[in-house]
Amino acid sequence: MKAKLNLGIIGAGRIGKVHIESITTGFTDVRIKAVADPYLNDETRQWALDRGVEACYKDVDKIIGDDEIDAVLICSSTDTHSRYTMEAARAGKHIFCEKPLDHDLGRIEEALKVVKECGVKFQIGFNRRFDHNFRSLHQAVVDGKVGDVHMVRISSRDPEPPSLDYVKVSGGLFLDMMIHDFDMVRFLSGSEVEEVFAAGAVLVDPAIGKAGDIDTAIVTMKLANGALAVIDNSRKAVYGYDQRAEVFGSGGAASVGNDSPSTLSVSGSNGVVGEKPHFFFLERYIDAYRNEIGEFIKAVVEDKPTPLGPEDALMPIRIALAAKRSLETGKPEKVR
Amino acid sequence: MKAKLNLGIIGAGRIGKVHIESITTGFTDVRIKAVADPYLNDETRQWALDRGVEACYKDVDKIIGDDEIDAVLICSSTDTHSRYTMEAARAGKHIFCEKPLDHDLGRIEEALKVVKECGVKFQIGFNRRFDHNFRSLHQAVVDGKVGDVHMVRISSRDPEPPSLDYVKVSGGLFLDMMIHDFDMVRFLSGSEVEEVFAAGAVLVDPAIGKAGDIDTAIVTMKLANGALAVIDNSRKAVYGYDQRAEVFGSGGAASVGNDSPSTLSVSGSNGVVGEKPHFFFLERYIDAYRNEIGEFIKAVVEDKPTPLGPEDALMPIRIALAAKRSLETGKPEKVR
Amino acid sequence: MKAKLNLGIIGAGRIGKVHIESITTGFTDVRIKAVADPYLNDETRQWALDRGVEACYKDVDKIIGDDEIDAVLICSSTDTHSRYTMEAARAGKHIFCEKPLDHDLGRIEEALKVVKECGVKFQIGFNRRFDHNFRSLHQAVVDGKVGDVHMVRISSRDPEPPSLDYVKVSGGLFLDMMIHDFDMVRFLSGSEVEEVFAAGAVLVDPAIGKAGDIDTAIVTMKLANGALAVIDNSRKAVYGYDQRAEVFGSGGAASVGNDSPSTLSVSGSNGVVGEKPHFFFLERYIDAYRNEIGEFIKAVVEDKPTPLGPEDALMPIRIALAAKRSLETGKPEKVR
Amino acid sequence: MKAKLNLGIIGAGRIGKVHIESITTGFTDVRIKAVADPYLNDETRQWALDRGVEACYKDVDKIIGDDEIDAVLICSSTDTHSRYTMEAARAGKHIFCEKPLDHDLGRIEEALKVVKECGVKFQIGFNRRFDHNFRSLHQAVVDGKVGDVHMVRISSRDPEPPSLDYVKVSGGLFLDMMIHDFDMVRFLSGSEVEEVFAAGAVLVDPAIGKAGDIDTAIVTMKLANGALAVIDNSRKAVYGYDQRAEVFGSGGAASVGNDSPSTLSVSGSNGVVGEKPHFFFLERYIDAYRNEIGEFIKAVVEDKPTPLGPEDALMPIRIALAAKRSLETGKPEKVR
């Protein structure tokens, strides 16, 4: 494979490393020319070099300014996503940006405007669309196996809450956690969301409430195509990462469940015991992360549309903001 | 078993027959002294006599006025439930009444007042509490297997809508169908419901909409104990009667699924195919009907409280009426 | 139902009571005219009378000699089955006989000869053929869902061994326990068994070995239609009664699993825990017992062939005896 | 990672490529210095170079003679395994050899003698031991979750038979296909096999019979620890690659099932349809192949014993040869 794609990676935290690992072990025709992270330490630098990354910087501008770099992966903290997106777009680089693009609708729209003007490709990182289970469920719906969609039900529960420090800057459960599920409702239903009613509670940890957030929520949605949807979230499922969905329609119901480390089942005097779901998102979605980057690379190399474009960066935020308003007003709110 | 309990059955329609069959084949110490139904035909009369029922009347008063009859099962049409309840109570008979007691809160309260004054036992017919699956789920919650309850999720879908004639007099989806699930939320959570938000749609059959009802709904609830609950209903699941529930809490999640005619699984070139759920409520809940009557008989014979008392006749109606209001106002409504 | 069938029941032990309970609670058109058991005690007598049995004797001849009795159910100890079969046949009564008819091929053939000469109906009690799961599996095979049958696999494990006293008179694991599975191989494959190889061991309890029996066995069979079959048995599965089967063929595989008290599944920090199978045969096969008697009654009343005739009483014994020989010789043995 | 391990790969057919792909994408500290295959074509050469393989030869001696190469992976045709093993051992290279080492006991013993004399590490390629499911099952047994092992049951079925040309040189079903399962019985039971009885048939394709082989088999084993085991094999399961196992013992039963492309389940009017198992061994065991090479690399780098040593290359062959004899004699045969 002579013609390599040259990538720059902005942010070498947990998710940046996931992408570096995916790319260096899973793709033979892609080069990571540089990684930049203002907080880069020696350990991470060595880790990256060992994986074949060619250069490591603390200065993100060195990536933005590198003409050899065709595309960037923005994996830095959320507050920098829209800025780097605009800078990279203006430098003519294609962009893969971790979700969310921003918590502020104005900044999102500004960034997407720049992306459009600069004519670069843009993909937002809703990784779950590339999970084998959700992809199969989506395909079943597209193939008409449930007929017309009447209801979408999603359960999405984390094994443990994030740190309180993170909770405070996270934007809240709707923007930080349920945003994945809002995107999934759109993906599975093939429809936009029009109205949202949010019921939320602090049941896992009172400290989350004191930090101004909730840890448990059930959100009902009315979709543009007439269907209904519901999502439940909890910050703490003691049995692991619980990620299930069902689409019900005129022709039947299709559902996907959790993945587990193995199919082991032990029948003993206390019952028939199966394995818990995978612990958390890195275990469950590691292949999904690889797949989404693969699709981004393919879109760039083959000059085709990315699977998740600007609209997909924007709409889930709008739904999440409506859910936030609904929680405040105690009433259903229009997505706007 | 010398001391027999003498029962009178009011109403010999579908559900009355279910109880007659249960009692005549499942209990050796109970006598059905009489069945009364204004619409009694010869076929039903013969059917009942063949099963050992001693007398069949068209006149319900003959049961109310029979001093030998200890208890009545009211299985007539909904609009007669509250009247027969009061008459039977005043005649000193213990009462098992099919759900709902009435659609009107005033009449329900009046009937329950009479029941209380007369000191007779009263049981309302929420049969699902006696289903082996829901009973196991309830027991798991009571045994602390999910810790504190955070969320209750119920899916309840019929295989096909009732006739339009029935839809028109049914009181609507919330009072006719979801009322079972409202009771189930109370049963599984051990808590009353405080607020309800109803999202409804006509997706199965436009004629149901023209008849003033909906056929698809997702209802969110806030419970007195702080937990959240959600129920989804559809009038038409092409794969059969879909009756599932999950309780999620601080210690884990417990769920029950559907029953099927067998555990048969066929692996072929088109996939791994299991059986559909049982077709409808008679197939799924036939044992539950028998169990509920058994518990009623036991409560009467042993002079103990019935498992589902006046409060259980009243509260689900209140929730259903709040759901109706919510559908009209488009806002959450308090249960009152 | 005017025309009642009059039954006599010989033997009022555990299985006799199962049939009495089934018939008195499940059939409205059948009368149990008498029960006879040499060891009848007052408690059992009262129990039977309470259920509507008309007479109870210690003398079996009173049933054989009662001209009003149309058919008998032989539920006495195995050593009396062939004798009562012949006596009942000569008295012109139709016969349902618990398995096995005898452990001795000569006596079986003699009894079946008498049955044939007397022209009475005869059904042997392989109850599992009437279980909803095995029936569905059989139907799937008959419907061609697995194509040509290539292999039959059966796992059949008891929750606990019988008493040593019983082990000593049981005829051994093959005649007492695996005989059901030999019949099931015939039922599922639609073929007779030609050759048997038995591997057996004493792994559950050395006392069973001292009593001359084994408690664990895997038996391989070659069938007349060219297919292969295998059965495994254990006298002790700590998780309950394990009764599963699979038929594999040119078109796929069909299998049935265990029934459980409920579909409850609890996800907690220790795994996802489902219910154990039903404890033992009375829990698992209670409906099968009712069904087999229903089919027998129907065959008598409608004068049709019974579903399990003389051949079915004979062939499983032949297979079991071949398995016994194989265990002794350490070589495969022909069924003869 | 400064200190790289230098590997040579002998044989660049299907399985050689699997290992090349695994190593070049999954390990960052290992170098494939050379690949040698007498039948190497340009396409494969380019494919390998693209993946970072440094050199490609047609002459295997160039690998054997390269002092920089620490270890070889022997992935050539079976008839060359023992020869290359001896040559590599004498050249002081550690050896990973695909199964089987040979079909001839004498040649196996000779090769293993040389390995021992030369003091190199040796690992035989029974990849299934590294599958997540079988590994979990093995661990459950080691952890005592089934108590003492009483029975091991394995079902192992291919989706389609190999070509007749392959069948003719394969050594037959026992040496080619069931050999994996013989190893699995040893792995799961922790015991050697003492006696084997093989029942075989030609049910899939008469041409396989004409080629001197069988396509369907059930093999029973008596183990040194007193337990029993049974394996069933078919060359054609229309629903995909069927790979399941169960270990039953004094404390319960543990089992593992198949993996599928997703957890999708579709409930429609025809039943509840789940996905078929993965199509064949490359889909099912791709991670297992990676894991086994990872363990080999670790054993070499850390100078520890390999997980599957000479004994594991030898014993399954002995069992397979006993099964072959049993099929010929029609009697059980000792493993010797």
Side-chain angles (χ1 to χ4, degrees), chain A:
Chain A
M1 319 250 159
K2 293 114 274 181
K4 292 221 174 200
L5 179 73
N6 292 298
L7 292 181
I9 295 186
I10 299 171
R14 187 166 56 173
I15 203 68
K17 280 180 180 152
V18 165
H19 292 313
I20 292 169
E21 183 87 28
S22 278
I23 294 164
T24 54
T25 62
F27 300 92
T28 51
D29 52 348
V30 175
R31 181 171 68 144
I32 301 181
K33 197 173 170 211
V35 170
D37 190 320
Y39 306 101
L40 193 74
N41 59 27
D42 287 350
E43 191 187 356
T44 299
R45 177 187 302 270
Q46 191 56 51
W47 178 90
L49 295 176
D50 283 342
R51 264 143 199 81
V53 169
E54 302 195 5
C56 292
Y57 313 123
K58 288 202 172 187
D59 182 0
V60 175
D61 287 347
K62 290 197 178 172
I63 283 185
I64 304 289
D66 184 339
D67 287 348
E68 268 189 35
I69 288 179
D70 306 302
V72 296
L73 275 56
I74 301 174
C75 314
S76 47
S77 61
T78 296
D79 60 313
T80 65
H81 287 183
S82 59
R83 176 160 61 88
Y84 290 146
T85 292
M86 289 186 285
E87 291 178 9
R90 286 179 182 129
K93 298 184 191 326
H94 303 296
I95 298 159
F96 172 91
C97 182
E98 278 302 322
K99 69 92 209 169
L101 182 45
D102 204 289
H103 293 158
D104 181 86
L105 271 185
R107 279 200 297 273
I108 292 175
E109 284 165 354
E110 187 193 353
L112 293 176
K113 189 160 163 268
V114 172
V115 165
K116 195 178 173 190
E117 287 167 2
C118 297
V120 296
K121 292 183 191 299
F122 177 86
Q123 182 172 329
I124 188 76
F126 285 117
N127 59 294
R128 294 185 196 171
R129 290 199 183 201
F130 304 90
D131 171 64
H132 63 141
N133 289 332
F134 290 117
R135 193 180 252 180
S136 288
L137 179 54
H138 174 255
Q139 195 57 46
V141 175
V142 168
D143 292 347
K145 292 197 177 163
V146 304
D148 297 331
V149 174
H150 291 180
M151 294 192 281
V152 176
R153 288 166 78 233
I154 295 175
S155 284
S156 178
R157 302 166 190 164
D158 285 354
E160 53 189 25
S163 70
L164 284 174
D165 283 349
Y166 179 82
V167 166
K168 284 167 191 164
V169 301
S170 69
L173 182 138
F174 297 128
L175 277 162
D176 177 57
M177 181 177 173
M178 201 180 279
I179 191 146
H180 279 288
D181 306 303
F182 292 135
D183 179 63
M184 189 53 63
V185 166
R186 297 172 65 244
F187 181 54
L188 294 177
S189 69
S191 175
E192 294 297 346
V193 175
E194 291 195 335
E195 190 186 286
V196 177
F197 176 73
V202 179
L203 299 170
V204 171
D205 184 355
I208 292 174
K210 279 178 199 149
D213 202 358
I214 54 172
D215 53 36
T216 305
I218 297 181
V219 173
T220 316
M221 281 147 281
K222 296 179 184 171
L223 309 190
N225 65 0
L228 307 177
V230 63
I231 297 167
D232 74 79
N233 270 191
S234 169
R235 283 290 194 184
K236 186 169 182 181
V238 298
Y239 50 88
Y241 196 45
D242 194 354
Q243 300 277 293
R244 291 171 288 148
E246 183 190 33
V247 182
F248 172 84
S250 60
S255 64
V256 290
N258 290 305
D259 289 339
S260 295
S262 83
T263 58
L264 181 68
S265 173
V266 178
S267 297
S269 49
N270 293 320
V272 177
V273 186
E275 293 224 38
K276 289 185 289 185
H278 283 309
F279 176 64
F280 211 167
F281 67 99
L282 286 183
E283 290 82 6
R284 164 72 186 257
Y285 291 126
I286 193 68
D287 286 341
Y289 282 113
R290 184 182 302 247
N291 294 340
E292 74 172 353
I293 293 301
E295 297 263 339
F296 173 69
I297 289 170
K298 200 179 162 196
V300 170
V301 169
E302 302 182 2
D303 194 13
K304 290 185 176 165
T306 62
L308 273 152
E311 203 71 3
D312 303 302
L314 183 62
M315 294 309 298
I317 299 287
R318 284 190 171 156
I319 305 170
L321 292 173
K324 262 186 124 160
R325 288 197 306 276
S326 173
L327 195 70
E328 286 160 18
T329 64
K331 294 177 188 169
E333 294 284 340
K334 296 287 177 199
V335 175
R336 63 187 187 218

Side-chain angles (χ1 to χ4, degrees), chain B residues 261-264, chain C residues 131-138 243 256-259 284:
Chain B
S262 82
T263 59
L264 181 68
Chain C
D131 171 64
H132 63 140
N133 290 332
F134 290 117
R135 195 181 251 181
S136 288
L137 179 54
H138 174 255
Q243 301 276 293
V256 289
N258 290 306
D259 289 338
R284 165 72 187 259

Side-chain angles (χ1 to χ4, degrees), chain D:
Chain D
M1 319 257 158
K2 294 115 274 182
K4 291 220 177 200
L5 179 73
N6 292 299
L7 292 181
I9 295 187
I10 299 170
R14 187 166 57 171
I15 204 69
K17 280 180 178 151
V18 166
H19 292 313
I20 293 169
E21 184 87 27
S22 278
I23 293 164
T24 54
T25 61
F27 299 91
T28 52
D29 51 349
V30 175
R31 181 172 67 144
I32 300 181
K33 197 171 172 215
V35 169
D37 190 321
Y39 307 101
L40 193 75
N41 60 26
D42 286 350
E43 190 186 356
T44 299
R45 178 189 302 270
Q46 191 55 52
W47 178 91
L49 295 177
D50 282 343
R51 265 144 198 83
V53 169
E54 301 195 6
C56 291
Y57 313 122
K58 289 203 172 186
D59 182 358
V60 175
D61 288 347
K62 289 199 179 171
I63 283 185
I64 303 289
D66 184 339
D67 287 347
E68 266 188 37
I69 289 180
D70 306 303
V72 295
L73 274 55
I74 302 173
C75 314
S76 47
S77 61
T78 296
D79 59 314
T80 65
H81 286 182
S82 57
R83 176 159 61 90
Y84 290 147
T85 292
M86 289 186 285
E87 291 178 10
R90 285 178 184 132
K93 298 184 192 325
H94 303 296
I95 299 158
F96 173 91
C97 181
E98 276 304 322
K99 69 93 213 171
L101 180 46
D102 203 289
H103 292 159
D104 181 87
L105 271 186
R107 279 200 297 276
I108 293 175
E109 284 165 355
E110 186 191 353
L112 294 177
K113 190 160 160 266
V114 173
V115 164
K116 195 179 172 190
E117 287 166 2
C118 298
V120 296
K121 291 183 192 300
F122 176 87
Q123 182 172 332
I124 188 77
F126 285 116
N127 59 295
R128 294 184 196 172
R129 290 199 182 198
F130 304 90
D131 171 65
H132 63 141
N133 289 332
F134 289 118
R135 194 180 251 182
S136 288
L137 179 53
H138 174 255
Q139 194 59 45
V141 175
V142 168
D143 292 348
K145 290 194 178 165
V146 302
D148 297 331
V149 174
H150 290 182
M151 295 192 280
V152 176
R153 287 166 79 234
I154 295 175
S155 284
S156 177
R157 302 167 190 164
D158 285 354
E160 53 189 25
S163 70
L164 284 174
D165 283 349
Y166 179 81
V167 165
K168 285 168 192 165
V169 301
S170 69
L173 182 138
F174 297 127
L175 277 162
D176 178 57
M177 180 177 176
M178 200 179 280
I179 192 150
H180 278 290
D181 307 302
F182 291 136
D183 180 63
M184 189 54 64
V185 166
R186 297 173 65 243
F187 181 54
L188 295 176
S189 69
S191 175
E192 294 297 346
V193 175
E194 291 195 336
E195 192 188 285
V196 178
F197 175 74
V202 179
L203 299 169
V204 171
D205 185 354
I208 292 174
K210 279 178 199 149
D213 202 359
I214 53 174
D215 54 35
T216 305
I218 297 181
V219 172
T220 316
M221 281 147 280
K222 296 179 184 170
L223 309 190
N225 66 359
L228 307 176
V230 63
I231 298 166
D232 73 81
N233 270 191
S234 168
R235 283 290 195 184
K236 185 170 185 183
V238 299
Y239 51 88
Y241 195 44
D242 194 354
Q243 301 276 293
R244 293 170 287 149
E246 182 190 35
V247 182
F248 173 84
S250 59
S255 63
V256 290
N258 290 306
D259 288 339
S260 294
S262 83
T263 58
L264 181 68
S265 173
V266 178
S267 297
S269 50
N270 292 319
V272 177
V273 187
E275 293 224 38
K276 289 185 289 185
H278 284 308
F279 175 64
F280 212 167
F281 67 98
L282 286 183
E283 290 82 5
R284 164 74 186 257
Y285 292 125
I286 193 68
D287 287 341
Y289 283 114
R290 184 182 301 250
N291 294 341
E292 73 172 354
I293 294 300
E295 296 263 339
F296 173 68
I297 290 169
K298 198 179 165 199
V300 170
V301 170
E302 301 183 1
D303 193 13
K304 288 184 177 165
T306 61
L308 274 153
E311 202 70 5
D312 302 302
L314 182 62
M315 294 308 299
I317 299 288
R318 285 191 172 156
I319 305 171
L321 293 172
K324 263 186 123 160
R325 287 197 306 275
S326 173
L327 195 70
E328 286 161 18
T329 63
K331 294 177 188 168
E333 294 285 338
K334 296 287 177 198
V335 176
R336 63 189 185 214

Side-chain angles (χ1 to χ4, degrees), chain C residues 229-288:
Chain C
V230 62
I231 298 167
D232 73 79
N233 270 192
S234 169
R235 285 288 195 185
K236 186 168 183 182
V238 299
Y239 51 88
Y241 196 45
D242 194 354
Q243 301 276 293
R244 293 171 287 149
E246 183 189 34
V247 183
F248 173 83
S250 60
S255 64
V256 289
N258 290 306
D259 289 338
S260 295
S262 84
T263 58
L264 180 67
S265 173
V266 178
S267 297
S269 49
N270 292 319
V272 177
V273 186
E275 293 224 38
K276 289 184 289 184
H278 283 308
F279 175 64
F280 211 168
F281 68 98
L282 286 183
E283 291 82 6
R284 165 72 187 259
Y285 292 127
I286 193 68
D287 286 342

Side-chain angles (χ1 to χ4, degrees), chain B:
Chain B
M1 322 253 157
K2 293 113 275 182
K4 292 219 173 200
L5 179 73
N6 293 298
L7 293 180
I9 296 187
I10 298 171
R14 186 166 57 172
I15 203 68
K17 280 181 179 150
V18 165
H19 292 313
I20 292 168
E21 184 86 28
S22 277
I23 293 164
T24 54
T25 62
F27 299 91
T28 52
D29 52 349
V30 174
R31 182 172 67 143
I32 301 181
K33 201 179 165 207
V35 169
D37 189 321
Y39 307 102
L40 193 74
N41 59 26
D42 286 350
E43 190 187 355
T44 298
R45 178 189 302 270
Q46 191 56 51
W47 178 91
L49 295 177
D50 282 342
R51 265 144 198 81
V53 169
E54 301 196 5
C56 292
Y57 312 124
K58 288 203 171 185
D59 183 0
V60 175
D61 288 346
K62 290 198 179 171
I63 282 185
I64 304 289
D66 184 337
D67 288 348
E68 268 189 36
I69 289 179
D70 306 304
V72 297
L73 275 57
I74 301 173
C75 314
S76 49
S77 62
T78 297
D79 59 315
T80 65
H81 287 183
S82 58
R83 177 160 59 89
Y84 290 146
T85 292
M86 290 186 284
E87 290 177 10
R90 287 178 182 131
K93 299 185 190 326
H94 302 297
I95 298 159
F96 173 92
C97 181
E98 277 303 323
K99 69 93 211 171
L101 181 46
D102 204 288
H103 292 157
D104 181 87
L105 271 186
R107 278 201 296 275
I108 291 174
E109 284 166 353
E110 187 192 354
L112 293 176
K113 190 160 161 267
V114 173
V115 163
K116 195 179 173 189
E117 286 166 1
C118 298
V120 296
K121 291 183 191 302
F122 176 87
Q123 182 172 329
I124 189 76
F126 285 118
N127 59 294
R128 294 183 196 172
R129 290 198 183 200
F130 304 91
D131 171 65
H132 62 141
N133 289 333
F134 290 118
R135 193 181 254 182
S136 288
L137 180 54
H138 174 256
Q139 194 59 45
V141 175
V142 168
D143 292 346
K145 291 194 179 165
V146 303
D148 296 332
V149 173
H150 291 181
M151 295 193 281
V152 176
R153 288 167 77 234
I154 295 176
S155 285
S156 177
R157 303 167 189 164
D158 285 354
E160 54 189 24
S163 70
L164 285 173
D165 284 349
Y166 178 82
V167 166
K168 285 167 191 164
V169 301
S170 69
L173 182 137
F174 298 127
L175 277 161
D176 178 57
M177 180 177 174
M178 201 179 280
I179 191 147
H180 278 289
D181 307 302
F182 291 136
D183 179 63
M184 189 54 64
V185 166
R186 298 173 65 244
F187 181 54
L188 294 177
S189 68
S191 175
E192 294 298 346
V193 174
E194 290 194 338
E195 191 187 286
V196 178
F197 175 73
V202 179
L203 300 169
V204 172
D205 184 356
I208 292 174
K210 279 178 200 148
D213 202 359
I214 54 173
D215 53 35
T216 305
I218 297 180
V219 173
T220 316
M221 281 148 281
K222 295 179 185 172
L223 309 191
N225 65 0
L228 307 176
V230 63
I231 298 166
D232 73 79
N233 271 191
S234 169
R235 283 291 194 183
K236 186 170 184 183
V238 298
Y239 51 88
Y241 196 44
D242 194 354
Q243 300 277 292
R244 292 170 288 149
E246 182 190 35
V247 182
F248 173 84
S250 59
S255 63
V256 290
N258 290 306
D259 289 338
S260 294
S262 82
T263 59
L264 181 68
S265 173
V266 178
S267 296
S269 49
N270 292 320
V272 177
V273 186
E275 292 223 38
K276 289 185 289 184
H278 284 307
F279 175 65
F280 212 169
F281 67 99
L282 286 183
E283 290 82 5
R284 164 72 186 258
Y285 292 126
I286 192 68
D287 287 341
Y289 283 114
R290 183 183 301 246
N291 293 342
E292 73 172 352
I293 294 301
E295 297 262 340
F296 174 68
I297 290 169
K298 199 179 163 195
V300 170
V301 169
E302 301 182 1
D303 194 14
K304 290 185 176 163
T306 61
L308 274 152
E311 202 70 5
D312 302 302
L314 182 62
M315 294 308 299
I317 299 287
R318 285 190 171 155
I319 306 171
L321 292 172
K324 263 187 121 160
R325 289 196 306 276
S326 173
L327 195 71
E328 287 161 18
T329 64
K331 294 177 188 168
E333 294 285 338
K334 296 286 177 199
V335 175
R336 63 187 186 216

